[in-house]
Amino acid sequence: MPPRSSLRVLAAPQTALRRGALPAAAWVGLVLAGCQPGTGPGLGHAGALSAAQPGTLQACESLTGSLNLPHTRIVSSERVPAGVVKQGDRPVPEHCLVKGRMHERQGADGRDYALGFEMRLPVAWSGRFYYQGNGGLDGVVQPALGALGGGPLTGALMQGFAVISSDAGHSGSQTPFFGLEPQARLDYGYQAVAKLTPMAKDLIRSAYGRAPDRSYIGGCSNGGRHTLVAAARMGDQYDGYLAGAPGYRLPHAALAQLWGVQQWAPLATPGATAKHPLNPNASIPDLGTAFTAAERQTVAQAVLNKCDALDGVRDGMVQATQACQSAFSIDDVPTCTGERNGTCLSPAQKQAVAAVHAGGRTPNGQAIYSAFPWDPGVAGHNWALWKFANAVALDPLSVGTVFTVPPAGKVDPLTADVSALLAQFSASNETYRESGLALMTPPGHDNPVNLTPLRERGAKMVIYHGVSDAIFSSEDTRQWMERLNRAQGGRADDMARYFMVPGMNHCSGGSATDQFDLLSSLVQWVEQGIKPQAVLAQARGAGNAGGVNAELPAAWPAQRSRPLCAYPTTARYKGSGAVEAASSFVCQ
């Protein structure tokens, strides 16, 4: 059994990043009062870039025949009246929808490839451009709404941005086998964003008569990875970077999933099956029987028993995430003395759960991935989906076709040699000249000093992550922030802010206040110099315009709110005031 100190790295003193207490007496928009414009000298410190100026759409339907952009074919362009498209239950304003294809070619595998994209150009334009990074293995041109994680109040399109969305260079039956085609693999890793960005800016110039004043890129999951990669590779192309649950070490996270399958399998009910998450006609081993919903709820309650009050109030949430890692141990969960009944864990279960939370190791002791924080969101449905279903159905595909050199082919997660696969992540050959790690991870992620030019010209980064994300660890992101701070000489908060979302699973959901608008906060920081220190987050209860979160505890009111606090500060109850209101908490 791992000792209580095995995850001490999660509870490292929060002294590296500058901290400060923020009063929560009044809210201004979505940002708590007390955030002041930066006063450091020059744009390289905390100064603001000039604000974007609004404009009006000048061309739409004519773009199909009139545009002559390099390597680009505009397939269609048409006006979309207000209200035809909705985000949640809110009508999207009138805009122009442009669809196109870039770099059409036949791949080495004989398949036809292109960078498929759509752009939505609002009639009433804010003067801003937003690149929407999509999730998973891409392969689908998602609607270019600039949607944000967690049941957003509004997306970038609703806020007047011109928005692009793409399939990252492959589509349909090419997924995930595009990873066998060398150029498609590179496009997915980083080249699609690099190719589409200048094209999109040229298209905006044709539609509005001028280029965007300010450019932003964002997304969650793989979209968050795209964002961090763009910051490292294209620091001169964007002014603001909004990265949610950034899977910037996606290969390692996927391999940890395969390793996890091998920990759960011996504890699962023999012969039990579950539905395949992608194919309703197929089944997979039911690994969820190794750690049932009732047992996960028991662990969640044990975490609450130890950590709920650390933020000053018992409210079914753990705000003091770092302190909780020292306070809680898997030994705090009752041990079964007889048959499993949902109220306890067997010794073997405790060992597996603790090992999976620690991130996994190869047989020779090499770490596979980051540790995961203890948090009551372990009870969430999305947590189980990633650990038990996607780990069997999705992650073996990405590992076998995209991240390994040579491609490992079909990978059986139950028998996979994780040590061999880990070595293949760093390999390259004449066909695949860049390794899986080189094409997927941000250059310099282990020492992000290469982001200095971004900071010096005044660009900003806002990062958020659910503490109970089961696929990408919020602790991995926290460690990245600490490395960024060291690389920037202790001045990372001049350019980057990190918001952990207690209880939230992957990008949304869980027992969390997961509805928030960090894009507006990012724009305020870039263009007004207002550092986001605390941002309003609300629960998505009954009647929520962005969609209801079905996993909210029954005792929570529909509109519970909390401040999301910039790391290393955490939300703490002030000792008085309504427990359900964000204004009763302070970031300190």
Side-chain angles (χ1 to χ4, degrees):
M1 184 74 61
R4 183 182 294 267
S5 62
S6 65
L7 296 183
R8 276 293 164 82
V9 64
L10 297 177
Q14 300 170 351
T15 56
L17 293 173
R18 287 174 280 182
R19 68 159 66 228
L22 181 72
W27 292 85
V28 179
L30 294 181
V31 183
L32 280 172
C35 299
Q36 298 299 321
T39 56
L43 296 182
H45 299 278
L49 298 174
S50 59
Q53 300 301 309
T56 303
L57 187 69
Q58 298 179 4
C60 178
E61 293 89 345
S62 61
L63 295 174
T64 302
S66 64
L67 279 183
N68 184 21
L69 302 176
H71 311 293
T72 304
R73 179 167 63 91
I74 302 301
V75 176
S76 64
S77 55
E78 60 180 350
R79 287 186 180 254
V80 180
V84 171
V85 176
K86 292 187 176 181
Q87 185 171 17
D89 64 358
R90 301 188 178 194
V92 173
E94 182 182 4
H95 61 277
C96 179
L97 172 59
V98 180
K99 295 184 178 182
R101 293 168 65 82
M102 195 177 187
H103 289 285
E104 294 178 293
R105 63 186 179 85
Q106 186 176 72
D109 58 2
R111 299 171 184 261
D112 291 329
Y113 286 90
L115 301 176
F117 68 88
E118 75 169 41
M119 288 196 72
R120 294 181 186 258
L121 312 170
V123 171
W125 183 41
S126 67
R128 302 182 180 100
F129 164 52
Y130 186 83
Y131 189 110
Q132 173 182 307
N134 294 316
L137 289 174
D138 284 300
V140 176
V141 181
Q142 300 288 351
L145 303 178
L148 313 176
L153 295 172
T154 62
L157 183 62
M158 291 275 282
Q159 296 182 28
F161 287 70
V163 182
I164 189 172
S165 169
S166 88
D167 59 13
H170 60 274
S171 61
S173 62
Q174 297 167 347
T175 306
F177 304 105
F178 73 89
L180 305 177
E181 207 282 325
Q183 183 57 51
R185 180 186 279 215
L186 291 169
D187 285 337
Y188 170 67
Y190 66 93
Q191 291 187 8
V193 178
K195 295 169 182 175
L196 288 163
T197 295
M199 183 280 299
K201 292 182 178 181
D202 284 343
L203 197 155
I204 287 172
R205 184 180 289 107
S206 297
Y208 293 102
R210 62 182 174 90
D213 297 319
R214 293 283 158 248
S215 297
Y216 297 80
I217 180 172
C220 196
S221 188
N222 183 53
R225 182 195 67 84
H226 280 307
T227 302
L228 290 193
V229 169
R233 290 183 177 272
M234 305 169 58
D236 61 339
Q237 292 295 306
Y238 290 96
D239 306 302
Y241 301 80
L242 178 57
Y248 75 97
R249 289 205 297 156
L250 203 162
H252 287 277
L255 188 61
Q257 289 278 86
L258 271 61
W259 180 89
V261 167
Q262 298 175 11
Q263 314 312 305
W264 303 124
L267 303 173
T269 301
T273 61
K275 290 183 178 180
H276 194 289
L278 296 180
N279 183 356
N281 298 318
S283 62
I284 57 175
D286 188 359
L287 298 182
T289 59
F291 188 25
T292 66
E295 291 165 339
R296 289 186 287 109
Q297 186 59 56
T298 293
V299 173
Q301 188 57 54
V303 174
L304 288 170
N305 291 343
K306 280 287 185 177
C307 302
D308 192 352
L310 295 177
D311 54 22
V313 64
R314 289 194 174 275
D315 57 357
M317 301 180 74
V318 174
Q319 303 284 349
T321 296
Q322 301 308 112
C324 184
Q325 308 317 305
S326 293
F328 177 79
S329 164
I330 194 65
D331 291 330
D332 294 321
V333 179
T335 302
C336 297
T337 57
E339 295 294 321
R340 290 166 48 186
N341 61 11
T343 65
C344 58
L345 295 183
S346 70
Q349 282 181 297
K350 286 189 173 185
Q351 184 174 5
V353 172
V356 169
H357 267 77
R361 291 187 177 273
T362 64
N364 67 0
Q366 182 179 1
I368 298 173
Y369 186 51
S370 168
F372 292 81
W374 296 108
D375 182 87
V378 67
H381 170 75
N382 181 263
W383 192 95
L385 175 67
W386 278 102
K387 291 299 188 190
F388 305 137
N390 291 346
V392 175
L394 301 183
D395 294 302
L397 297 176
S398 59
V399 168
T401 62
V402 184
F403 308 147
T404 47
V405 175
K410 185 176 182 180
V411 175
D412 182 349
L414 293 170
T415 60
D417 184 341
V418 295
S419 296
L421 291 169
L422 184 59
Q424 285 180 267
F425 288 169
S426 301
S428 60
N429 60 26
E430 286 300 312
T431 301
Y432 305 99
R433 296 181 179 273
E434 295 189 37
S435 70
L437 292 181
L439 68 92
M440 292 297 295
T441 57
H445 72 271
D446 54 344
N447 180 30
V449 68
N450 63 343
L451 296 184
T452 298
L454 187 150
R455 178 175 64 81
E456 289 179 342
R457 72 176 183 81
K460 311 297 182 187
M461 306 176 69
V462 168
I463 304 166
Y464 66 94
H465 208 141
V467 176
S468 267
D469 190 321
I471 175 63
F472 301 133
S473 170
S474 63
E475 168 61 11
D476 201 32
T477 302
R478 187 186 76 86
Q479 293 286 354
W480 184 86
M481 281 293 299
E482 292 287 359
R483 293 195 297 273
L484 176 67
N485 194 52
R486 290 192 294 270
Q488 298 302 316
R491 297 169 57 194
D493 68 349
D494 283 347
M495 65 175 293
R497 290 291 169 104
Y498 176 38
F499 296 86
M500 288 185 279
V501 188
M504 191 171 85
N505 292 152
H506 185 54
C507 293
S508 65
S511 53
T513 52
D514 69 341
Q515 185 174 69
F516 43 84
D517 180 8
L518 284 168
L519 179 58
S520 293
S521 297
L522 177 59
V523 170
Q524 285 186 324
W525 192 11
V526 169
E527 301 181 24
Q528 300 176 38
I530 302 174
K531 290 185 178 182
Q533 178 62 34
V535 175
L536 178 64
Q538 294 179 300
R540 293 184 290 121
N544 187 273
V548 174
N549 176 5
E551 293 197 294
L552 291 179
W556 288 22
Q559 312 244 333
R560 168 178 278 194
S561 63
R562 290 290 183 271
L564 296 183
C565 298
Y567 174 79
T569 66
T570 59
R572 184 169 182 84
Y573 184 58
K574 295 194 299 184
S576 61
V579 172
E580 303 306 332
S583 58
S584 299
F585 292 77
V586 61
C587 290
Q588 63 181 25

